[in-house]
Amino acid sequence: KNSWTGVPIAVANMDTTGTFEMAKALSEHKILVCIHKHYSVEQWTEFGNNNKEVLPYVAVSAGTSSADLETVAEVLKAVPEIPMICLDVANGYSEYFVHVVEKVR
């Protein structure tokens, strides 16, 4: 079981804010960054190998599609030190989202 302490400030997983560069800069302040979902597994692997000290402050992001969830699984296999997953949906109250959360857990 993982635990985390700190002030829960998290940068959104938007293309312009949820970047590896932002994660490197904000990890110095222990601020979380939800990395956007458009990085490849190869890019994640390179980032993870070269930025171990940043990994406690990042989340890999996905929508609810099977392709997104497969990519998250591949990223977590390649960089198992990533402690969090960000599920980004427009309607978090939907029954489908609840099923996706169950699947991810």
Side-chain angles (χ1 to χ4, degrees):
K1 181 178 179 180
N2 293 329
S3 65
W4 185 82
T5 58
V7 178
I9 298 172
V11 175
N13 63 336
M14 296 166 41
D15 294 358
T16 55
T17 59
T19 64
F20 292 149
E21 293 78 20
M22 187 72 76
K24 287 189 257 185
L26 295 180
S27 69
E28 296 176 18
H29 305 286
K30 299 183 179 180
I31 294 175
L32 306 173
V33 176
C34 299
I35 304 296
H36 68 70
K37 67 179 187 175
H38 304 294
Y39 284 120
S40 67
V41 175
E42 292 77 20
Q43 289 171 304
W44 265 107
T45 301
E46 181 180 345
F47 175 76
N49 288 338
N50 296 320
N51 298 279
K52 297 284 187 195
E53 71 286 353
V54 177
L55 295 177
Y57 305 102
V58 300
V60 60
S61 295
T64 57
S65 74
S66 294
D68 281 357
L69 298 177
E70 288 173 20
T71 299
V72 165
E74 291 175 21
V75 168
L76 292 175
K77 184 176 181 182
V79 190
E81 301 89 349
I82 298 170
M84 292 171 265
I85 298 170
C86 171
L87 292 176
D88 185 16
V89 297
N91 300 305
Y93 54 82
S94 73
E95 183 87 18
Y96 180 69
F97 179 64
V98 171
H99 292 299
V100 171
V101 170
E102 289 172 345
K103 182 177 182 179
V104 169
R105 284 186 171 170

